[in-house]
Amino acid sequence: MTGKAGAIAKLDGPTRLMLWTLLVVYIFNFLDRQIVNILAEPIRKDLGLTDTQVGLMTGLAFALFYTVLGLPIARFADKPRTDRGRLIAVALAIWSAMTALCGLAQNFFQLLLARIGVGVGEAGCTPAAHSLIADRVPAERRPGAMAFYALGIPIGSLLGMMIGGVLADTLGWRKAFMIVGLPGVFLALVVMAVVKDKGRVTRADHAASQGESIFAAVAELLRSPAYVMLLMAASASAFLSYGKSTWTTIFFQRSHGLSPGEVGFWFGLWGGVAGIFGTWLGGWLADRFGKIDRRHVVTAPAIGMALAIPVAISAYFATDWRMSLLLLMIPTVLNSLYYGPVYSSAQGLVPLRHRATASALLLFGQNLIGLGLGPLFFGILSDWLRPEFGENSVRYVLYGAAVLGLIPAILFWMLRPRLHAELDRHT
């Protein structure tokens, strides 16, 4: 994180304050989103859920509404009169309150509704934040700034795992939801005061956006071959990332006998550290080598995801949980290299008036396909394999997930020449 903090130190004071505040918001975003992973096994036992229901609760229930609402909210964020800072603050208050309400659920349906509410709130955060960052940060520093913001993913996930695990062991899963959700409501007041929406699109771009429908905006985005390839690669990456994240926490509990608190501490800590380092490294490599050749903005994610496959298989095969955890740190680093390059490239491939919409469409693919279908698909596979492999069914599902990492690796490699042709032509 020091490298990225050093990079944003070159920016003006208000922009630095905005970036640090948005990072804290994104940490809460992923803390509230991912805490359900470490709480999934206690919830399953308490409410008597199947693995398919666990996959639905942790993934699709959140992702469906997050993605469906993401595009119209992003179009609202792209309007010149919209205060994007206030939009982010309201979204934060909504998803934090709904996270706390998860702790009051008495059955699967009530929990599902609360998770849907979390998705509704979080739909208003990242597209507006990406648009703000792209407006305020010069193009040559944008990968680093986007990677800095994206550090909220591993940090929030780390805190969600560690705090959620400890609270689940000591106070139960219901109080865990309430304790992590309520502080975000008060943070929203801070965001309202600190994040000022000063930058906006040019007058010509403003005129071009008047009366443009969401369908016309999306159609224009999809006319970019590089953006379409980026969308495919990011969605495939998220499918595996979210699916493996949910079921790896359950894998350590079922196959290695660890408690939620133990998994939350050890996997959350070391997995979070690896994710933070990988996110930082991906942004640094994109900044450094993308200046030499823009194809290299996504070279590291392409190579890294391919190299992660055999190490991940070895980690799931290991019989000692400590060795498994140690090995998993390597693919976690390699699979985290894509965050900064993907988000910065999305902003550099589209007209200024479509920046929030470009992020929302990217998140639509990542969350509907990734978060929505990843955990659910792997949960269905686990139920299907359970008669044959019992509690070890999750281990065999994760073997297959590791091999599928070849798909995003190939897509990122194919994206390289397209990026060289299209990146930053609108700025």
Side-chain angles (χ1 to χ4, degrees):
M1 188 165 170
T2 303
K4 287 304 160 205
I8 70 167
K10 299 176 183 178
L11 303 172
D12 61 86
T15 302
R16 291 200 305 271
L17 178 60
M18 180 197 74
L19 282 170
W20 277 103
T21 305
L22 290 177
L23 172 62
V24 174
V25 171
Y26 208 33
I27 289 172
F28 271 79
N29 183 296
F30 264 79
L31 193 163
D32 291 352
R33 183 187 308 192
Q34 297 292 85
I35 190 174
V36 71
N37 289 341
I38 193 62
L39 301 179
E41 191 68 359
I43 292 171
R44 181 187 71 85
K45 293 177 180 177
D46 190 19
L47 300 183
L49 308 183
T50 67
D51 282 354
T52 300
Q53 288 176 312
V54 170
L56 183 63
M57 172 193 68
T58 58
L60 190 60
F62 170 94
L64 185 61
F65 285 82
Y66 180 98
T67 54
V68 168
L69 290 175
L71 284 169
I73 292 175
R75 289 301 294 153
F76 176 72
D78 274 333
K79 292 182 180 297
R81 293 183 180 180
T82 299
D83 186 324
R84 291 169 288 186
R86 183 167 297 181
L87 174 61
I88 292 169
V90 171
L92 170 60
I94 292 173
W95 89 62
S96 298
M98 297 307 296
T99 298
L101 285 176
C102 287
L104 300 178
Q106 299 299 311
N107 54 54
F108 175 68
F109 180 70
Q110 292 176 1
L111 186 59
L112 208 63
L113 289 178
R115 285 290 293 168
I116 287 171
V118 177
V120 169
E122 293 198 7
C125 178
T126 295
H130 282 176
S131 177
L132 274 170
I133 294 170
D135 278 357
R136 300 275 288 274
V137 177
E140 66 274 11
R141 294 179 184 168
R142 203 172 291 149
M146 288 292 185
F148 179 80
Y149 173 73
L151 287 171
I153 299 173
I155 295 174
S157 299
L158 181 157
L159 293 176
M161 294 282 287
M162 293 185 67
I163 295 173
V166 171
L167 292 176
D169 280 358
T170 56
L171 299 176
W173 65 270
R174 296 183 183 281
K175 290 184 179 178
F177 275 124
M178 297 178 188
I179 290 172
V180 302
L182 291 177
V185 178
F186 300 101
L187 176 63
L189 299 175
V190 177
V191 175
M192 191 88 71
V194 171
V195 179
K196 304 298 182 181
D197 191 353
K198 297 178 181 179
R200 200 35 108 170
V201 297
T202 64
R203 186 171 298 175
D205 223 28
H206 178 184
S209 68
Q210 295 302 303
E212 185 179 43
S213 71
I214 187 172
F215 300 104
V218 170
E220 183 170 345
L221 293 176
L222 296 180
R223 281 196 286 270
S224 164
Y227 183 83
V228 171
M229 186 67 72
L230 185 76
L231 178 63
M232 293 170 60
S235 299
S237 301
F239 178 86
L240 299 174
S241 175
Y242 283 119
K244 287 187 292 186
S245 176
T246 297
W247 291 102
T248 298
T249 62
I250 295 173
F251 160 75
F252 276 111
Q253 293 174 65
R254 291 188 189 173
S255 296
H256 291 291
L258 273 63
S259 71
E262 290 171 326
V263 176
F265 181 80
W266 292 111
F267 182 62
L269 175 62
W270 293 111
V273 169
I276 292 168
F277 177 69
T279 302
W280 169 84
L281 182 61
W284 182 82
L285 291 171
D287 274 349
R288 181 177 178 85
F289 295 102
K291 295 175 183 177
I292 301 171
D293 187 331
R294 286 183 291 188
R295 290 176 296 181
H296 292 323
V297 171
V298 293
T299 296
I303 296 174
M305 289 189 174
L307 294 177
I309 295 171
V311 186
I313 293 174
S314 300
Y316 298 130
F317 184 78
T319 56
D320 186 279
W321 69 267
R322 299 168 190 82
M323 179 58 68
S324 179
L325 181 64
L326 180 64
L327 289 171
L328 277 177
M329 290 185 67
I330 299 173
T332 300
V333 170
L334 296 173
N335 289 330
S336 300
L337 298 175
Y338 81 95
Y339 292 126
V342 162
Y343 294 132
S344 64
S345 295
Q347 298 298 306
L349 289 170
V350 303
L352 276 65
R353 69 183 186 277
H354 290 154
R355 280 177 166 169
T357 306
S359 286
L361 185 58
L362 187 63
L363 290 167
F364 183 96
Q366 282 200 289
N367 287 283
L368 186 61
I369 296 173
L371 180 56
L373 300 181
L376 177 60
F377 177 73
F378 294 145
I380 293 172
L381 283 182
S382 179
D383 278 338
W384 183 60
L385 294 174
R386 184 180 283 257
E388 179 72 21
F389 299 104
E391 292 293 287
N392 267 324
S393 62
V394 175
R395 186 195 299 269
Y396 289 90
V397 167
L398 291 172
Y399 287 151
V403 175
L404 289 176
L406 193 59
I407 295 174
I410 293 172
L411 290 172
F412 276 120
W413 190 262
M414 293 171 61
L415 172 63
R416 296 167 70 251
R418 298 181 186 275
L419 267 189
H420 182 71
E422 295 187 42
L423 195 60
D424 294 329
R425 66 181 181 180
H426 295 286
T427 57

